[in-house]
Amino acid sequence: MAQLQAAFNDNWIKTTGRLLNGPSYFPALKEEGEMDAHVFVASPSGGSESMHLMYLLAIAAARETIDLAASYFVPDTLLIEALIAASGRDVRVRILLPGPHIDSFTVKIASKAEWGGLLEAGAEIHVYQPTMLHTKLLVIDNEFVSVGSTNFDIRSIRLNDEASLNIYNSDFATQMTAMFEADLLSAESYSLDSAPSGRMGGVAPFLGLKPQAVCLCRSAAFIGRNDDQDQNF
């Protein structure tokens, strides 16, 4: 709780210029619960590299399963390579992403440009159908859970104020996996054959777009998008 308070206070100072202090804002906290957890914060002024590294290390540490749900999925090369490497060592990688309902066309195009390599490596990609997916969840080996406001894209990590809570508890991870799998029931599996041109022969053929258009969409997705900015700790 103290770490969440610190994350809020940091954002409050940046927004208002006022420092919150004293017991009326931060009363003494008693230890509660039995789960080990800690808060990760990323912002343009600090913490972005730590958030990026946390994702990389979590994926690299996976030995059995990776379940990832992301409302905006535009990872950089290092994150893509980490997911592909996990599939290469027989880790089951399941990725749940928005389907027809998404509020940013540029993010949709930039995201889909990365699907081919993941699918060829053996990762599963599922697209959520009923409504817009706004979940930000990572579950590793039924042991580790990261959930919060951080999207799985480099813009969120480097440019936004974000906070994620990491929980180290197998029972909680099992519950989150069950919720993830419940969402899979409302999703459609996406395959290489689902693409307009069949198997991927590069980014543009996979999307049916010119390479220049894909590059522009990736740049636009990094610079800005019409999302909620997720600055809501």
Side-chain angles (χ1 to χ4, degrees), residues 16 28 37 39 47 74 77 82 179 184 212 220 233:
T16 68
V39 175
V74 192
T77 301
M179 294 179 67
L184 288 184
Q212 296 91 330
F233 301 142

Side-chain angles (χ1 to χ4, degrees), residues 31-48:
E31 185 173 339
E32 297 285 348
E34 298 178 353
M35 297 185 192
D36 292 327
H38 71 284
V39 175
F40 256 87
V41 177
S43 74
S45 60
S48 61

Side-chain angles (χ1 to χ4, degrees), residues 63-64 85-92:
R63 293 295 175 264
E64 297 179 3
S87 292
R89 59 178 185 269
D90 296 325
V91 174
R92 185 192 66 194

Side-chain angles (χ1 to χ4, degrees), residues 138-217:
L138 177 66
V139 185
I140 304 288
D141 291 343
N142 272 346
E143 294 288 345
F144 168 85
V145 176
S146 183
V147 61
S149 70
T150 311
N151 293 296
F152 204 78
D153 72 335
I154 212 63
R155 178 190 189 277
S156 177
I157 293 172
R158 291 182 180 173
L159 298 184
N160 286 1
D161 286 310
E162 308 284 10
S164 290
L165 180 65
N166 293 349
I167 303 101
Y168 305 87
N169 182 276
S170 59
D171 290 340
F172 183 75
T174 299
Q175 294 178 44
M176 293 299 100
T177 299
M179 294 179 67
F180 179 89
E181 292 179 340
D183 284 338
L184 288 184
L185 297 176
S186 298
E188 293 182 0
S189 179
Y190 198 93
S191 68
L192 286 166
D193 293 334
S194 303
S197 59
R199 290 187 61 80
M200 182 178 181
V203 167
F206 183 65
L207 293 172
L209 296 174
K210 295 181 179 180
Q212 296 91 330
V214 175
C215 290
L216 284 172
C217 286

Side-chain angles (χ1 to χ4, degrees), residues 52-99:
H52 190 220
L53 183 60
M54 182 272 289
Y55 278 134
L56 288 170
L57 290 175
I59 294 168
R63 293 295 175 264
E64 297 179 3
T65 60
I66 296 172
D67 289 331
L68 171 65
S71 53
Y72 303 105
F73 181 80
V74 192
D76 66 353
T77 301
L78 286 175
L79 289 168
I80 289 291
E81 289 177 348
L83 290 169
I84 290 174
S87 292
R89 59 178 185 269
D90 296 325
V91 174
R92 185 192 66 194
V93 178
R94 300 187 295 186
I95 304 172
L96 179 62
L97 302 175

